[in-house]
Amino acid sequence: MATLVNDSILKNDAAGPVPVSGGLGTDSYYNHSFFQKIAANVAKDMIDEAISKKLDVKSLLSSSKTIRLADLGCAVGPNTFDAMQNIIDLIKLKCQTHLPTSPMPEFQVFFNDQPANDFNTLFKSIPPKREYFAAGVPGSFYERLFPDSSLHVVYSSYALHWLSKVPEGLEDKNSPAWNKGRIHHASAAEEVRRAYAVQWANDLSNFLNARAREIVPGGIIVIVTHSIPDGMEYSELANGMMYNCMASILLDIAKRGLISEEQVDAFNLPTYAAPPGEFVSVVENNEYFNIVTMGESNPSPWLTDDVHVDMNEFVNHIRAAMEGMFNKHFAREIVNEMFERLEVKLSEISVEMESAYKDKIQAFYVLQRNDSG
Amino acid sequence: MATLVNDSILKNDAAGPVPVSGGLGTDSYYNHSFFQKIAANVAKDMIDEAISKKLDVKSLLSSSKTIRLADLGCAVGPNTFDAMQNIIDLIKLKCQTHLPTSPMPEFQVFFNDQPANDFNTLFKSIPPKREYFAAGVPGSFYERLFPDSSLHVVYSSYALHWLSKVPEGLEDKNSPAWNKGRIHHASAAEEVRRAYAVQWANDLSNFLNARAREIVPGGIIVIVTHSIPDGMEYSELANGMMYNCMASILLDIAKRGLISEEQVDAFNLPTYAAPPGEFVSVVENNEYFNIVTMGESNPSPWLTDDVHVDMNEFVNHIRAAMEGMFNKHFAREIVNEMFERLEVKLSEISVEMESAYKDKIQAFYVLQRNDSG
C-alpha cells in the first residue's frame, strides 16, 4: 500500500485561522510532522538548483553584508530548521566559489507564522549551535512583514494553500456559492470552487505584492505547496474524498440531533489547492516576479514500498493539523466522534484513496524578483 | 508611606536563569508590571534628550532605509511597546526636522529575551496597529544576537542587573566567597560582594562587545537599570533588607527540618546592582562606546503621596518576577510559605524599608557607538 498521507492538510499555517497543535507532546505537530519532512525533501533538488544557478551572491553582497532568509508559515519545527540550514549551506558554497577571498556573509533567518503559532516551542527547538541569527516574526504573510528590500531568499512550504479567510458566499443561503452540506468545494457546484479560486488568487496576489517590496532584485522565493493537476476535479483526490467523508460524518451526527445541519453548512475549510495553471496566471499578472522553474510531483515515491501508514496514525496526523479549526466550530465530543469515525470510514475506501494518491498533488515554484517597480 | 516597591526585582530578564511569569493571568508579569512602567518613565526624559540630540538621522539613513531598534530583555510587555513607540516617535520627529523632503524611514523592532520567555504572550500583545515591523529574538543578550552593523538604537530596561550565572565560589565551602546562610551578597563578606561584582563586570563587558559589533557607528544604547549609590552597602537598601528577610525565613524553615541548611547555602540570586562608578569603569575599558549622559534617580517620587502599596500586592509583584527561580530550587510548599511569611516580615520592618527606599536605586546610561574597531 502506498501512503495515504495527504501532506497538504498536515500543516495549518500562517494564513489559516487556527495554528497547529503546539508544544512537544504526543499529539503535537512537532512530533507529527514527519510527513511534511518527506514532502519538503521532494522539493529539495529544485531549491538547490534554483539557488545555485540563479542567486547572484556577488550582486546581493554588494549592498549588504548579511544574507536574510525567511520561512513564511514555519509552524513549530523541526522541518524549518533543516530547510533554512540547507539554503544557507548552498549560499555558502556559492560564496566559496564566486567570492573566495571575501569573508563569509552573516545570515539572519526570520521564522514567520501566525501570532497564535506556538513560538515558545519553536524558540526552544532552534538548534543551539547554528550558523545564523534567528528571529521570529508573528503575522499573516498575506500582509507586509519586513522592511523594504531586506530579504534575499524567502521559503514557504505547505502554507500557501491556506486561505486568509473562508471564501465569500459559502455561508450565504442566497449566494450561488452557498455550500450546503459540505465543508469544502470538493464535489460542490462550480460556483463554490470558483469562490475558493478567487479568494486564493487574491491571497496569492497580496502575498506577491508584499514580497515584491521586501525582497531585493535578484532575490528568490521558493514555494512548495499542495496542488492539483490542471483540469482534475478535487473530489478525485484523496484529500477531496476525505473532506467528503468528514462532511458526511458531520451530517450523520446532525441527523441524530447532536448538532444542527446549519452548523455543518456554516463550516468550510479555508484551504485551496490551486492547479499550476492558476498559479502561473497570478504570478504573471503580478509582474514583479519571474518564474525560474516549477514542477509537479507526487510525494509518495519518497516513501519506500515497505512504509505503510496505518489509518490510526494517519488520522492522528490529520488531527494534529486540523483539530483546532473543528474545535472552534463544534463541541469537543463532536470533533472526537468525527475523527474516530473518520478512521473507520477512510479504511473502507482505502483502495480508492490509494489510487487517488498517485496523482501529482504537490507543486514547486521558484520565483525571482525582477528589477521592476 | 512611600512605595516599598523595588523595581529591580520585578523583572527577571534575558540574563536571568528563569523568565518572568508568563500569560495574561492574575499572577502574570503582564498584569504586575505597573511598577516597571513607572521606573521606565523616570528614564524617559533622558532617552528623549539623548535621541534628539545625539542620533544623526542623516548619517544613519545614508546607509540604510530602515531604522532598526531592539529591546534587550523585553519580557512580555506591555512596557516594551510604549518604550519602542516612544523612540520611534522621537526619530520620526527628527526626520521631519532634518530630512523634511525625504520619505520617512521604515522601522523594524526586535523584541529580545531568553528563549524561555513567554513570546507567545508577547506576540499576542503587540499593538495590531503599529508603525513598525516586529520580530522576536530569543537568546541571551550577553552573546551576539544580530548581524554586524544592523542596529541603530538598543534599549534595555531593568535587565542588566541579572547576571548570566551565579558568581563563582558562592556555593563552594572552600572558597572565601562561600555565601553560607544567605541568598545574596547583602550583609555578606566583602569576598562575596566582589564575586558578584566580577561576574557582573564580565557580563556587561560581553554585552558591550556583542553590541559593538551589532550597532552602527553613531548608534545608541539606552540602559535603565537597578543601581546603588557609590559607597553604599547593599544591606542598607530595601532590596538588601528583603533578601535578608528571605534568607532568614528559609533558614527558619531549615531549622524545622523541612529543607536542609545546605539547600539554603546552595541558593544565590544572580542579581547585582552596580554603583555608577563600576558601570562607568566597564564602559571606559571597553572602548567602543562613549557615555553620552548618565544619571541616578529614585523612582519613588513618581508615585504621588497618596499611592500606598499594600504589602500583599507588593509581595504578589515580587512573586510574579522571582517565584520561578525559587521553584527551581525549593519545593512549591516551601516557596509558598516563604512568600507568605515575607509579607508579614516586611510589614514589621516597613519603616526601615521606606526610609531605605529613598535612596537612588535607579541609574540611566546613554551610550553611543564610536567609530573605533
Side-chain angles (χ1 to χ4, degrees), chain B residues 75-273:
Chain B
V76 293
N79 298 344
T80 183
F81 307 126
D82 294 343
M84 294 298 99
Q85 187 57 52
N86 176 56
I87 295 174
I88 288 171
D89 288 343
L90 289 164
I91 297 176
K92 286 177 74 176
L93 195 65
K94 206 147 184 206
C95 288
Q96 279 159 3
T97 314
H98 291 81
L99 299 163
T101 58
S102 303
M104 197 55 76
E106 291 185 316
F107 294 90
Q108 190 171 29
V109 175
F110 294 92
F111 296 98
N112 156 260
D113 213 311
Q114 300 179 83
N117 184 53
D118 187 355
F119 281 95
N120 287 350
T121 296
L122 178 78
F123 284 171
K124 283 170 202 152
S125 321
I126 299 181
K129 298 254 173 217
R130 54 184 179 263
E131 301 180 277
Y132 53 86
F133 299 107
V137 172
S140 164
F141 52 52
Y142 293 129
E143 295 169 11
R144 286 288 302 278
L145 294 168
F146 304 95
D148 271 341
S149 305
S150 62
L151 297 177
H152 301 93
V153 180
V154 166
Y155 174 86
S156 183
S157 175
Y158 279 93
L160 277 165
H161 59 287
W162 287 110
L163 305 175
S164 67
K165 59 176 186 179
V166 172
E168 277 174 33
L170 266 63
E171 288 151 23
D172 173 5
K173 274 189 187 178
N174 302 315
S175 161
W178 185 36
N179 201 20
K180 183 167 175 49
R182 307 191 180 282
I183 63 170
H184 185 261
H185 69 74
S187 305
E190 170 58 15
E191 284 84 355
V192 177
R193 195 205 61 79
R194 204 176 302 139
Y196 269 89
V198 166
Q199 182 61 50
W200 173 85
N202 282 341
D203 284 340
L204 181 61
S205 174
N206 288 337
F207 176 93
L208 293 175
N209 286 334
R211 300 300 87 74
R213 295 281 304 272
E214 298 164 357
I215 298 175
V216 300
I220 274 176
I221 307 183
V222 178
I223 293 166
V224 184
T225 185
H226 184 41
S227 182
I228 181 172
D230 283 295
M232 197 162 177
E233 295 286 335
Y234 202 81
S235 55
E236 298 172 60
L237 298 189
N239 255 13
M241 294 177 192
M242 188 185 63
Y243 295 151
N244 285 340
C245 280
M246 287 171 162
S248 131
I249 295 167
L250 288 170
L251 286 175
D252 194 60
I253 297 174
K255 263 186 207 141
R256 280 158 47 216
L258 299 175
I259 52 173
S260 69
E261 264 193 52
E262 286 73 21
Q263 265 180 286
V264 183
D265 296 346
F267 179 75
N268 288 285
L269 291 168
T271 169
Y272 182 73

Side-chain angles (χ1 to χ4, degrees), chain A residues 4-15:
Chain A
L4 293 178
V5 170
N6 197 320
D7 310 85
S8 74
I9 54 171
L10 295 175
K11 190 165 159 192
N12 174 358
D13 247 299

Side-chain angles (χ1 to χ4, degrees), chain B residues 27-93:
Chain B
D27 290 334
S28 67
Y29 174 86
Y30 195 93
N31 278 332
H32 282 289
S33 54
F34 169 66
F35 296 104
Q36 276 79 355
K37 189 168 166 65
I38 293 164
N41 283 347
V42 178
K44 192 171 178 302
D45 289 349
M46 290 283 293
I47 296 168
D48 292 6
E49 198 185 330
I51 290 173
S52 297
K53 279 198 182 167
K54 289 289 176 173
L55 212 60
D56 181 349
V57 289
K58 238 183 217 175
S59 148
L60 296 184
L61 290 168
S62 66
S63 58
S64 168
K65 285 192 295 183
T66 302
I67 296 285
R68 292 188 168 87
L69 320 180
D71 184 354
L72 305 186
C74 65
V76 293
N79 298 344
T80 183
F81 307 126
D82 294 343
M84 294 298 99
Q85 187 57 52
N86 176 56
I87 295 174
I88 288 171
D89 288 343
L90 289 164
I91 297 176
K92 286 177 74 176
L93 195 65

